[in-house]
């Protein structure tokens, strides 16, 4: 997630996500059916309804860097499932507009979003064509925000097998 201050004429903000490139995996490199609120890639945690799935560190299908996150959903529940990173110093961004972009390769319609504890702002879905695409969303953080998070996932997973690679957040 990026905040671009008005004085930044180059148009490049700084990444406020701790592990946006999915390069750090100190909790392990493979997770089968992780419990809600458990971490996989550093700072990224499981949320939503539990489905049968694995999360692994991927070193061959990447966009940039050495690793991406591979998310393999092997059965569905019809409910939402997602992975989120929370920004601890969220009050610094109250009233500001943030942008989130991720590079995603997927065979299913996966989305990204920004949440501030009050509102969730969703991106358009990846078309599920199994090619790397940049998915983006912007949101103005409420002055009453209670949290700040960046997430990717499925609002209603219906694809029996969904394989997604996430990189470069």
């Amino acid at each position: 997630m990026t905040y671009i201050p008005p004085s930044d004429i180059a148009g490049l903000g700084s990444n406020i996500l701790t592990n946006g490139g999915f390069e750090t995996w100190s909790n392990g490199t493979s997770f089968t059916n992780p419990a809600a609120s458990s971490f996989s890639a550093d700072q990224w945690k499981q949320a939503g309804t539990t489905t049968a799935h694995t999360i692994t560190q991927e070193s061959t299908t990447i966009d940039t860097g050495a690793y991406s996150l591979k998310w393999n959903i092997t059965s569905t529940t019809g409910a939402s499932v997602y992975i989120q990173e929370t920004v601890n110093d969220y009050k610094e961004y109250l009233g500001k507009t943030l942008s989130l972009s991720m590079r995603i390769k997927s065979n299913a319609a996966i989305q990204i979003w920004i949440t501030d504890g009050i509102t969730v702002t969703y991106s358009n879905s990846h078309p599920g064509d199994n090619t790397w695409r940049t998915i983006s969303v912007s949101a103005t953080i409420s002055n009453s925000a209670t949290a700040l998070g960046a997430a990717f996932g499925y609002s209603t997973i219906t694809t029996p097998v969904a394989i997604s690679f996430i990189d470069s957040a």
Side-chain angles (χ1 to χ4, degrees):
M1 208 167 359
T2 305
Y3 169 62
I4 303 173
S7 61
D8 188 351
I9 42 183
L12 301 173
S14 58
N15 194 343
I16 63 175
L17 297 175
T18 303
N19 190 19
F22 302 94
E23 299 299 312
T24 308
W25 293 75
S26 62
N27 301 311
T29 58
S30 182
F31 306 87
T32 301
N33 300 325
S37 297
S38 62
F39 289 90
S40 53
D42 284 22
Q43 302 303 318
W44 292 92
K45 70 179 175 178
Q46 176 71 41
T49 303
T50 303
T51 60
H53 67 279
T54 59
I55 298 168
T56 54
Q57 179 188 67
E58 175 65 31
S59 62
T60 57
T61 305
I62 57 172
D63 180 57
T64 59
Y67 305 110
S68 68
L69 181 146
K70 180 180 180 182
W71 195 13
N72 185 4
I73 297 178
T74 55
S75 72
T76 63
T77 62
S80 67
V81 60
Y82 58 98
I83 299 173
Q84 176 174 301
E85 181 174 322
T86 302
V87 176
N88 291 327
D89 57 347
Y90 72 92
K91 289 183 180 179
E92 183 177 330
Y93 302 100
L94 299 180
K96 296 185 166 85
T97 300
L98 300 178
S99 295
L100 173 64
S101 293
M102 293 183 180
R103 294 283 291 162
I104 299 176
K105 179 179 180 181
S106 183
N107 69 346
I110 188 170
Q111 290 179 291
I112 67 172
W113 57 88
I114 298 171
T115 180
D116 63 9
I118 306 292
T119 303
V120 179
T121 305
Y122 294 93
S123 69
N124 290 328
S125 294
H126 185 287
D129 61 0
N130 214 25
T131 61
W132 283 106
R133 296 193 180 269
T134 301
I135 307 298
S136 301
V137 63
S138 293
T140 300
I141 306 308
S142 170
N143 286 318
S144 304
T146 59
L148 179 57
F152 58 91
Y154 305 91
S155 56
T156 305
I157 182 71
T158 56
T159 306
V161 177
I163 300 173
S164 299
F165 299 89
I166 316 298
D167 207 349
S168 308

